[in-house]
Amino acid sequence: MIRVDHVTKHFGAIAALDDVSLTIREGQRVAFVGTNGSGKTTLLRAILGLVRVKGKILIFGKDVARNPEVALRSVAYIPQIAPPIDAPVIEVVRAHAALRNKQEDDVFTRARRLGLEPDACKKKKFRDLSGGMKQKLLAAMALAAETPVVVCDEPTANLDGYAREAFFEQINERKSTGIVVLCSHRIEEVKRLVDRVVELDDGRVVRDGPIGEVSHP
């Protein structure tokens, strides 16, 4: 379970998050939606411990601010913008597998399903991959981690049609108790991946309900 309790974040005079509280229970798939500047990305980053906030965020009872190494052990993340990693792909995957107590082939099996052949990229530096290849690899690593929580920021923005379908399929194979938190501007993607929508505006939650009640997230 993820609990966001009276969370506020200011950037100068601007309130990116203004006393936000919500709970995401096991088995829920939630999309944060809103216009640019609404606070959805800041909320996503706060859950990941990437920005400091006032208030409290707990993941399975562990405080993200006080014990990030424990709280975030349950979380895998697919970022919108790939980090500029200088190491070869094989080393990136090897390090990830070691940290997650997985096998390298767990990642490469996921990557193949997304249409990325490992032999075509293992020796290349991660930063030199195309945008689509980077996103496939990042998605494969997150999915292979098999964590209780997956956080996705525009996870299919650089994926072709085949890879998008394969990504949806792998998300749907997750345990029924797993949590998915998503930021996306793609209405079709939101409707396929989540069962709940949290809409933000000016740093506040203005709507929180089942996806079936939402016509235009």
Side-chain angles (χ1 to χ4, degrees):
M1 183 173 73
I2 300 173
R3 196 179 92 198
V4 178
D5 193 11
H6 298 288
V7 165
T8 296
K9 176 64 180 179
H10 283 84
F11 293 106
I14 299 172
L17 296 173
D18 188 2
D19 195 33
V20 172
S21 293
L22 57 88
T23 298
I24 302 173
R25 302 190 182 281
E26 291 172 87
Q28 289 190 321
R29 298 181 178 186
V30 182
F32 296 157
V33 302
T35 58
N36 289 337
S38 63
K40 63 183 185 299
T41 300
T42 302
L43 180 56
L44 195 81
R45 290 172 61 82
I47 289 173
L48 293 164
L50 297 176
V51 294
R52 292 191 175 190
V53 297
K54 292 182 179 179
K56 185 179 291 186
I57 298 176
L58 303 177
I59 300 178
F60 296 108
K62 307 300 182 182
D63 193 310
V64 171
R66 293 185 177 183
N67 297 294
E69 70 283 355
V70 177
L72 297 173
R73 195 175 296 157
S74 301
V75 181
Y77 175 42
I78 305 175
Q80 179 182 6
I81 300 174
I85 301 173
D86 194 51
V89 167
I90 185 62
E91 291 184 14
V92 174
V93 172
R94 186 172 293 141
H96 175 271
L99 287 169
R100 291 294 191 177
N101 197 27
K102 296 290 181 178
Q103 300 298 316
E104 293 169 26
D105 203 49
D106 293 334
V107 175
F108 289 132
T109 296
R110 299 277 189 170
R112 287 189 189 95
R113 291 182 61 185
L114 293 169
L116 178 63
E117 284 300 324
D119 289 342
C121 67
K122 282 183 178 181
K123 295 181 180 180
K124 294 181 179 179
K125 290 186 176 181
F126 180 85
R127 69 177 186 185
D128 293 335
L129 299 180
S130 68
M133 293 174 77
K134 288 176 183 175
Q135 196 156 31
K136 289 175 184 178
L137 189 61
L138 290 169
M141 289 192 291
L143 292 165
E146 297 183 322
T147 52
V149 180
V150 172
V151 176
C152 313
D153 190 2
E154 300 287 352
T156 68
N158 290 314
L159 298 184
D160 55 63
Y162 175 88
R164 281 199 298 272
E165 290 299 320
F167 176 76
F168 296 149
E169 183 179 85
Q170 292 191 61
I171 286 288
N172 287 330
E173 290 171 358
R174 284 172 48 79
K175 293 180 180 179
S176 61
T177 55
I179 292 171
V180 176
V181 181
L182 170 76
C183 269
S184 177
H185 288 92
R186 297 168 180 257
I187 294 175
E188 179 186 357
E189 180 171 280
V190 170
K191 289 183 175 179
R192 289 189 65 173
L193 288 178
V194 308
D195 49 40
R196 174 183 168 193
V197 168
V198 174
E199 181 179 358
L200 291 101
D201 187 37
D202 289 333
R204 288 179 172 270
V205 175
V206 296
R207 179 173 56 176
D208 184 349
I211 185 65
E213 297 177 2
V214 178
S215 56
H216 298 287

